[in-house]
Amino acid sequence: MSNQVSNEAHVIPLRTEPVRPQPVRTDAPEPAPREPLWRDLVGEVLRRERLAQERTLRDVADEARISLPYLSEIERGRKEASSEVLAAAAHALGLGLGDLLSLAQGELTRHTGAARRTAAVPRHSYKPYNGLCLAA
C-alpha cells in the first residue's frame, strides 16, 4: 500500500450564484460634497500666510513658541489647536486671531460656494449669516 498525498487542492466556491450588477439609477440625487473641516481650513490659511512671507516652519514655530512638529500637524489639518496656540501662530505671522479666523471663514465660503448651499436647503428656510461664529 502506498501513502501518496494528492497535490490537488479542493476548491470550495464562496458564492453559489453569480452576482448581478445593480442597475444605475439616473434619478438618484448626487451626494452632497463634503464640507471641509475647520482644522483643515485654518491649517491652509496658516501655511499660505507663512509661505507668502517666505518663512520657514522652524522660524514661525520658534517665534510662536510651538514645537515644529505640532505646527506642521496644525498646518496639515491633523491637529485641532487650542485658541491660545492659534493666537500664538497667528501673531508670529503678524496676524491677530480674528484675522486668522476671518481668513479661514473666507476659505470655508470659497470651498462650499453659495450654489451648493442653496441647492441643499429650501430657499424659504435659508437665511445667510454674514457674521463670525466661534465654537469652543
Side-chain angles (χ1 to χ4, degrees), residues 54-130:
E54 298 180 353
R55 294 177 66 186
T56 65
L57 197 59
R58 180 175 303 283
D59 177 42
V60 175
D62 288 345
E63 188 172 334
R65 305 187 90 189
I66 303 169
S67 75
L68 188 142
Y70 189 58
L71 182 58
S72 174
E73 288 185 322
I74 293 169
E75 282 191 357
R76 290 181 288 136
R78 301 280 173 104
K79 294 288 184 187
E80 288 274 359
S82 69
S83 58
E84 291 87 358
V85 170
L86 291 178
H91 290 145
L93 292 167
L95 301 170
L97 181 59
D99 298 325
L100 173 65
L101 299 178
S102 180
L103 290 168
Q105 189 244 352
E107 285 293 308
L108 178 61
T109 302
R110 188 178 66 79
H111 279 284
T112 55
R116 285 182 252 163
R117 213 174 26 248
T118 56
V121 179
R123 183 163 299 285
H124 66 275
S125 67
Y126 175 70
K127 294 178 182 144
Y129 179 72
N130 293 325

Side-chain angles (χ1 to χ4, degrees), residues 9-26:
H10 181 67
V11 178
I12 300 172
L14 296 177
R15 296 187 180 158
T16 57
E17 297 179 19
V19 177
R20 294 186 181 125
Q22 296 293 325
V24 177
R25 291 183 52 190
T26 57

